[in-house]
Amino acid sequence: MIKENLNEVKEKIKRACERAGRSYDDVTLIAVSKTKPVEAVREAMEWGMMEFGENKVQELTFKYEQLPKSIHWHLIGHLQRNKVKYIIGKTSLIHSVDSYRLAEEIHKEGQKHSLQVPVLIQVNAANEESKFGISMEECIPLIEKTAKLEYVSIKGLMTIAPFVENPEDNRQYFKQLKQLSVDIKTKNIDNVSMDFLSMGMTGDYEVAVEEGATHIRVGTGIFGERDYSQMN
Ligand SMILES: *Cc1c(COP(=O)(O)O)cnc(C)c1O
């Protein structure tokens, strides 16, 4: 099933790229394996996947230990400052930096290990109460401040769009995030690149790719529905 799902998702990404005149190679598909067993990750690896996303530190570190170190792990969920120490050196990208205090903690831990930690700034594009992330307005000031932290390397922006029936409803937010990243890029801030734009999930990744996503985070579309009743 994972194989067929992966093929379908990749096919849809390709077609979205064609519609937008983009190169398929510019889009990284992250398989969101949260709540799924390590066997599911292994199976996806057999079909060529190397990028996996987790939203909890504990689950990421558990799978990190169980699975080949060649995997690129993406932390896509909210990160508490006291948990930064557990994931330093284990993530290829932290998608969820949403405060200066969190960035400072990452800097501190990065410095300890002499590691420059690649991160994205999480923006709550639709200003939803229930979601983490900073507002569009707070984004540039936060980036300007965070850019001075030597061991934090800002690579771009991330957003979690609202849950909608019609993915077209999220196009506006993807457009806004893309525009914001262009605005930031033109500022040429030292230690900041805006090469990455992490947006789009199972319900809306095609629209996100059309609007310039470089990283899409797909869980259900690859691994099937999640069963939270098994989790503690
Ligand atoms: C769970 C999750 C996803 C994947 O969601 P699906 O709808 O299953 O594709 C993507 N991004 C974040 C931040 C998530 O927590």
Side-chain angles (χ1 to χ4, degrees), residues 32 34 55 76-77 158 160 200-203 217-221 226 228:
V32 177
K34 65 188 185 196
N55 69 335
I76 59 176
M158 176 271 217
I160 305 174
M201 305 174 27
T202 296
R217 312 175 307 263
V218 179
T220 314
R226 283 179 290 275
Y228 286 98

Side-chain angles (χ1 to χ4, degrees), residues 148-163:
K148 300 197 174 88
L149 299 171
E150 203 184 329
Y151 290 89
V152 176
S153 181
I154 302 174
K155 302 289 186 194
L157 306 177
M158 176 271 217
T159 197
I160 305 174
F163 181 79

Side-chain angles (χ1 to χ4, degrees), residues 27-144:
V27 181
T28 300
L29 171 61
I30 299 168
V32 177
S33 48
K34 65 188 185 196
T35 80
K36 300 292 175 182
V38 291
E39 292 73 37
V41 175
R42 284 215 175 85
E43 192 179 334
M45 286 182 81
E46 279 174 38
W47 307 112
M49 290 304 294
M50 288 303 273
E51 314 287 329
F52 291 90
E54 289 288 338
N55 69 335
K56 292 206 164 70
V57 166
Q58 208 180 345
E59 200 173 341
L60 191 153
T61 53
F62 174 77
K63 287 176 184 164
Y64 178 90
E65 295 304 334
Q66 303 286 316
L67 288 157
K69 296 292 176 283
S70 50
I71 290 179
H72 296 160
W73 290 105
H74 296 258
L75 183 73
I76 59 176
H78 183 62
L79 177 57
Q80 287 170 302
R81 279 181 297 142
N82 61 359
K83 298 211 171 137
V84 170
K85 56 178 176 286
Y86 302 121
I87 54 151
I88 282 301
K90 297 179 181 166
T91 54
S92 74
L93 189 60
I94 298 173
H95 292 232
S96 47
V97 171
D98 60 358
S99 75
Y100 183 71
R101 297 212 310 161
L102 173 59
E104 257 184 334
E105 187 64 30
I106 295 171
H107 166 77
K108 230 177 66 191
E109 290 296 324
Q111 187 165 36
K112 265 190 212 165
H113 297 85
S114 299
L115 284 174
Q116 271 229 315
V117 186
V119 307
L120 304 179
I121 303 297
Q122 182 175 353
V123 181
N124 185 355
N127 270 317
E128 289 180 283
E129 286 278 346
S130 59
K131 297 239 165 84
F132 289 103
I134 54 157
S135 68
M136 297 274 222
E137 295 73 38
E138 291 167 306
C139 191
I140 292 177
L142 175 64
I143 286 179
E144 283 171 338

